[in-house]
Amino acid sequence: LAKTTQPISMDSYEGQEVNITCSHNNIATNDYITWYQQFPSQGPRFIIQGYKTKVTNEVASLFIPADRKSSTLSLPRVSLSDTAVYYCLVGEGGLTGGGNKLTFGTGTQLKVEL
Amino acid sequence: NAGVTQTPKFQVLKTGQSMTLQCAQDMNHEYMSWYRQDPGMGLRLIHYSVGAGITDQGEVPNGYNVSRSTTEDFPLRLLSAAPSQTSVYFCASRDRGGNTGELFFGEGSRLTVL
């Protein structure tokens, strides 16, 4: 299983772009990269998933370089409500192999201030 | 849609007592899993199931039992509770045929063992 490393915490201000980088040096060929967001006293919520290059949805972008050993979650123009813990996960898509044992690291605590 | 429902939301046990945390999902997901989250830490996988009658261990299975008799339900049993099992427990499910393998989480069950 690919291990991930993220910064423990980050601080930002409203309106800024926030980039959270995750390292996953041992990522396997079949592994996807997925990011989740967790607010206090709630379960994590899916944000975005990608395999390579760039993926964008209505809330975030995910940048994955060619070697796939890292990924960057980009949150444009953050607000106070984006204060949360963000987790990077690496594992196979589907229900085979590592895709079943989806492990969460300690995540990155993002704090957004006025 | 109810999604993933966990009961109870709060529970206090004495050391040595047993109990079952219930998890039910109404999305016809084949994959279900249990995580525990300790203060300031990420989520650790306890057990998971890829379908009725099939279960397997995660990172921290000791002290917990699971069974999967139906697609909808995935109960987590503590046979003899210990203070070290004080934690917040999250149940999650996933669609086998989904494009992203997104995990859907319940709201959590907060367990205190005295």
Side-chain angles (χ1 to χ4, degrees), chain A residues 36 38 49 87 94 100 102, chain B residues 31 35 37 94 96 100 103:
Chain A
Y36 285 81
Q38 185 181 27
Q49 184 184 74
Y87 296 96
N100 293 329
L102 293 171
Chain B
Y31 178 92
Y35 290 86
Q37 185 171 36
R94 191 174 75 178
R96 179 176 185 172
T100 63
L103 280 169

Side-chain angles (χ1 to χ4, degrees), chain B:
Chain B
N1 290 336
V4 178
T5 303
Q6 293 183 231
T7 56
K9 288 185 170 49
F10 300 93
Q11 182 72 49
V12 179
L13 290 178
K14 294 181 179 179
T15 297
Q17 287 185 317
S18 63
M19 78 157 298
T20 299
L21 298 177
Q22 302 290 346
C23 177
Q25 52 91 9
D26 61 0
M27 297 173 283
N28 201 32
H29 287 171
E30 293 194 12
Y31 178 92
M32 297 185 73
S33 56
W34 277 101
Y35 290 86
R36 62 175 288 175
Q37 185 171 36
D38 300 312
M41 298 185 68
L43 289 85
R44 291 184 290 171
L45 181 65
I46 304 172
H47 285 286
Y48 66 93
S49 169
V50 298
I54 307 170
T55 64
D56 205 346
Q57 297 180 349
E59 305 170 81
V60 288
N62 293 339
Y64 307 94
N65 285 342
V66 292
S67 60
R68 185 91 179 274
S69 57
T70 67
T71 299
E72 294 78 18
D73 301 299
F74 190 44
L76 179 71
R77 297 184 185 86
L78 286 72
L79 298 179
S80 179
S84 61
Q85 293 179 304
T86 293
S87 188
V88 180
Y89 292 84
F90 289 99
C91 179
S93 71
R94 191 174 75 178
D95 180 10
R96 179 176 185 172
N99 291 330
T100 63
E102 173 183 355
L103 280 169
F104 293 84
F105 283 83
E107 294 185 354
S109 296
R110 186 177 299 274
L111 174 66
T112 301
V113 182
L114 303 175

Side-chain angles (χ1 to χ4, degrees), chain A residues 18-37:
Chain A
V18 171
N19 296 309
I20 305 174
T21 297
C22 178
S23 297
H24 28 79
N25 291 322
N26 296 323
I27 189 168
T29 301
N30 294 332
D31 285 343
Y32 284 72
I33 301 155
T34 311
W35 286 80
Y36 285 81
Q37 174 191 57

Side-chain angles (χ1 to χ4, degrees), chain A residues 5-14 16-22 35 71-75 78-80 82-87 106-113:
Chain A
T5 303
Q6 305 174 230
I8 294 174
S9 64
M10 295 183 69
D11 295 327
S12 184
Y13 293 96
E14 276 202 318
Q16 290 189 333
E17 178 184 74
V18 171
N19 296 309
I20 305 174
T21 297
C22 178
W35 286 80
S71 59
T72 299
L73 174 72
S74 181
L75 304 173
V78 296
S79 65
L80 293 174
D82 291 316
T83 294
V85 178
Y86 293 83
Y87 296 96
T106 53
T108 298
Q109 172 67 64
L110 172 65
K111 181 178 180 182
V112 180
E113 298 176 288

